Amino acid sequence: MRCKDVAQAIEQAGFPPLPDEARGHVEGCPACSSLIADFERILAVAKELPAEVEPPTRVWVALRSQLEAENIIREPATLVPVESSRWWQDYDKIIRGRMMATAGVAVLIVAAGYIQMTHKSARSPIPDEATVIPEPRVLAEPFGAAGTKLDQEEQSLGPLQAASMSGVSPVDNSLRENLATLNTFIKECRKRLQEDPNDQVARDYLSAAYQQKAEILAAMMERGRSVN
Amino acid sequence: MTVSPAVRKTFASVLFPVFGAGVLLMPLASLAAGQKVEKHFAVKGRPVVMIQNVANGRIEVKSWKNPEVVVSASQPSNKIGLDMEQAENRIDVTASVLDASAQESDLSENIQLTVPEETELQIKSQSGLIYVEQVLGDMTLESIAGDIHLKEVSGYIIVRTTGGTLVCTLCGGKLKFDSVSGSAQILQPSLTNVTLYTSFGNILFDGDFIRTGIYSMKSGRGLVEVRFAGTDSFDLNAQTTSGTVDNRAEAFLKPDSHGIRRSAAKYAKGFFGTVGNGLAKVELSSFSGTIRILKRD
């Protein structure tokens, strides 16, 4: 066996373990043994890398808001069968692992691209009942699930906010004031959409407001962590 | 010995980042607080400078011709820790709070940077002004409560604030601004792509629209004001849900010149028009604020 055969064996069979023939060659070949040693070091370092971190909730909220804003996915309506809404309720559980999350996002992006390319002007039903409600339907409140989730996060921040209030910080004040104003603005947009559910301008502003709210909550949490 | 391309690729993509980073990430300084410090970092080509200022304070970035990055910092107390490190062309500067119980007045860190003209920047701050002048390169600038002033900068510029205001004078390239209550003033720009969004702040665009440029300016409750030149050429789409459109340039706005039939969204007020040949695209929007269009004198 020659050096290139060793490389081919690693390429095809993986590493380790090394096939017997290749091992025999490596023992007598300084270049190959050096390469193998390097690979072993890489594997050792790779095992020490920290575990993958689950993306924060705000990422999912922002993603969902954006997809809803672009009419790529829709909020389950009140007439929707129980199975459909349960899918979204279980969404968090489904996307626990990073690989599952990545795959989920990839599927959403591919679906979004396909839908936009093939259904640009006409709003025809999309074949995934889990994510899209067939027409005719009763429109539910836009971004309702995202809004509820953000409200829950805001409530959970209560003690954290209080803890960081020991010194009056202009930054914390700015975050709190902007959050309060955003909440008022969100109410205005929601009111408008209750009057005119098809007002796309209001829908866009509501989507943006939810995204900004998610970012403010993330900043508040980050500040809470950095000073506590 | 010959090694197959796949092995070499694996080697290059895994070994170099892991061990290269280990060798190159040598912490150059962990500076004692309560003093003025200055560090020099020799660089080649276009460096990337990252500043993370968890404390408050002003960050100022200016350029020079030398292939060197100079970081100067001053802090009034020892409650702030400042770390600087260099990994080839990347320079990281991090200011962090050492004592969470410290008074707010002690938690400040002013940082001055002098960088080569072509430098990429990533700056994240809490409050205090971020000022960048004469830097060419992509930059991401984030602040919660601080204002951001840019002068003669060019590149792909991303600015995010919660309450801070952006003033961009003589800027070029692409600009993306997102803020909750901060305002944006874009003065004498040469920007080809502009996306400005603020929920409650005002937007002022005073300058030329570059042909083939795309400009989107949106404010939830604030004023969106555009001052254009008579020689400009752009299509305009202005829409508001419950605000007002103050069109002071009716004499210059013609019906769409491209023959495309357009209509405003059913539930929005607004209008379409064309100035010149309609080469650039301008979209203005406000939920409940005012959109004002006027020609510069």
Side-chain angles (χ1 to χ4, degrees):
Chain A
M1 182 172 265
R2 295 189 307 180
C3 294
K4 69 175 182 182
D5 299 323
V6 173
Q8 202 170 7
I10 294 172
E11 196 177 335
Q12 287 172 352
F15 172 88
L18 214 53
D20 290 339
E21 277 186 38
R23 209 180 304 134
H25 169 84
V26 168
E27 281 170 8
C29 174
C32 284
S33 57
S34 170
L35 179 66
I36 297 298
D38 283 344
F39 276 133
E40 284 172 346
R41 277 201 292 275
I42 292 167
L43 285 174
V45 171
K47 282 176 186 169
E48 289 171 8
L49 291 175
E52 292 171 334
V53 180
E54 186 186 344
T57 312
R58 64 189 172 88
V59 172
W60 300 114
V61 170
L63 177 65
R64 185 172 168 77
S65 297
Q66 188 64 36
L67 291 172
E68 286 185 11
E70 292 173 11
N71 286 330
I72 293 164
I73 61 171
R74 288 176 180 281
E75 191 70 23
T78 48
L79 294 180
V80 174
V82 179
E83 287 76 18
S84 309
S85 55
R86 202 185 297 144
W87 190 92
W88 274 112
Q89 285 164 5
D90 293 339
Y91 183 64
D92 275 0
K93 293 174 193 169
I94 293 167
I95 60 170
R96 278 296 173 215
R98 187 168 169 178
M99 282 181 68
M100 283 293 288
T102 309
V105 171
V107 169
L108 283 173
I109 290 168
V110 170
Y114 174 77
I115 292 160
Q116 284 208 321
M117 283 188 345
T118 57
H119 300 73
K120 191 88 179 178
S121 53
R123 283 184 187 170
S124 54
I126 298 156
D128 184 356
E129 284 189 351
T131 54
V132 180
I133 310 310
E135 294 182 79
R137 64 183 173 276
V138 175
L139 285 173
E141 186 179 312
F143 321 114
T148 306
K149 204 156 205 175
L150 287 171
D151 289 343
Q152 287 168 354
E153 275 202 13
E154 185 179 353
Q155 283 171 1
S156 72
L157 271 175
L160 197 141
Q161 283 178 264
S164 61
M165 281 176 67
S166 53
V168 181
S169 157
V171 176
D172 290 330
N173 280 342
S174 173
L175 288 170
R176 275 193 290 272
E177 285 169 11
N178 279 291
L179 181 60
T181 322
L182 264 179
N183 283 335
T184 314
F185 187 53
I186 285 169
K187 280 181 190 166
E188 282 177 39
C189 293
R190 286 168 59 185
K191 185 168 176 274
R192 176 69 187 176
L193 281 168
Q194 280 169 0
E195 294 165 4
D196 297 315
N198 295 316
D199 186 337
Q200 190 57 44
V201 177
R203 187 178 282 265
D204 290 346
Y205 278 102
L206 180 59
S207 166
Y210 274 133
Q211 286 185 46
Q212 288 190 328
K213 180 174 177 176
E215 283 163 17
I216 285 185
L217 292 174
M220 290 171 109
M221 289 174 80
E222 198 176 324
R223 278 185 66 77
R225 274 195 293 270
S226 67
V227 298
N228 288 320
Chain B
M1 172 185 152
T2 55
V3 180
S4 80
V7 173
R8 278 203 298 271
K9 192 178 173 186
T10 308
F11 190 83
S13 62
V14 178
L15 185 69
F16 287 149
V18 171
F19 290 101
V23 171
L24 295 172
L25 281 174
M26 296 173 66
L28 295 179
S30 182
L31 301 161
Q35 60 183 354
K36 285 188 177 182
V37 292
E38 184 173 301
K39 285 278 170 187
H40 294 244
F41 302 96
V43 293
K44 290 175 184 172
R46 176 184 288 213
V48 178
V49 180
M50 305 169 81
I51 298 180
Q52 171 103 3
N53 193 1
V54 175
N56 306 315
R58 178 187 169 104
I59 297 173
E60 188 176 302
V61 185
K62 292 187 175 180
S63 68
W64 65 353
K65 302 284 185 190
N66 300 344
E68 188 178 51
V69 173
V70 180
V71 183
S72 307
S74 61
Q75 50 195 206
S77 75
N78 58 357
K79 313 289 185 187
I80 300 291
L82 184 68
D83 288 307
M84 296 187 237
E85 66 179 30
Q86 179 177 21
E88 291 191 343
N89 268 1
R90 176 171 62 78
I91 290 151
D92 269 356
V93 180
T94 306
S96 52
V97 177
L98 298 177
D99 181 359
S101 62
Q103 292 296 311
E104 190 64 26
S105 57
D106 288 334
L107 299 178
S108 74
E109 176 81 55
N110 294 321
I111 299 172
Q112 275 194 313
L113 272 182
T114 310
V115 299
E117 276 182 334
E118 291 196 15
T119 297
E120 291 187 20
L121 296 172
Q122 285 190 36
I123 299 176
K124 193 170 182 181
S125 178
Q126 305 289 302
S127 69
L129 178 70
I130 296 176
Y131 179 81
V132 183
E133 184 177 340
Q134 289 184 328
V135 175
L136 310 177
D138 298 345
M139 55 190 79
T140 302
L141 312 170
E142 296 179 60
S143 177
I144 294 174
D147 292 344
I148 296 177
H149 291 189
L150 309 176
K151 188 178 178 188
E152 295 174 48
V153 302
S154 183
Y156 187 7
I157 306 160
I158 298 172
V159 176
R160 291 194 202 99
T161 74
T162 302
T165 285
L166 166 70
V167 179
C168 202
T169 308
L170 295 165
C171 296
K174 297 180 179 181
L175 171 65
K176 187 173 183 187
F177 170 73
D178 186 281
S179 178
V180 180
S181 61
S183 296
Q185 288 184 33
I186 314 303
L187 309 171
Q188 299 170 267
S190 53
L191 293 156
T192 56
N193 193 308
V194 173
T195 306
L196 309 176
Y197 180 87
T198 173
S199 287
F200 314 119
N202 300 324
I203 292 172
L204 168 64
F205 186 98
D206 187 350
D208 298 341
F209 293 108
I210 307 288
R211 292 167 184 231
T212 72
I214 296 172
Y215 304 84
S216 167
M217 301 173 216
K218 298 180 179 181
S219 174
R221 286 187 186 155
L223 167 71
V224 180
E225 181 170 324
V226 165
R227 300 175 188 169
F228 63 91
T231 53
D232 279 352
S233 171
F234 60 92
D235 277 346
L236 177 71
N237 173 6
Q239 285 195 67
T240 176
T241 295
S242 57
T244 55
V245 178
D246 179 11
N247 182 4
R248 301 185 185 178
E250 281 180 15
F252 297 90
L253 281 162
K254 301 173 293 186
D256 185 278
S257 61
H258 308 300
I260 301 169
R261 283 170 52 187
R262 299 172 189 230
S263 59
K266 191 177 175 183
Y267 298 96
K269 292 182 284 184
F271 68 91
F272 298 95
T274 295
V275 172
N277 293 324
L279 297 178
K281 183 177 181 181
V282 179
E283 289 187 344
L284 310 177
S285 161
S286 180
F287 179 75
S288 58
T290 298
I291 297 173
R292 181 174 298 144
I293 303 127
L294 62 154
K295 179 185 156 295
R296 280 201 309 277
D297 294 331

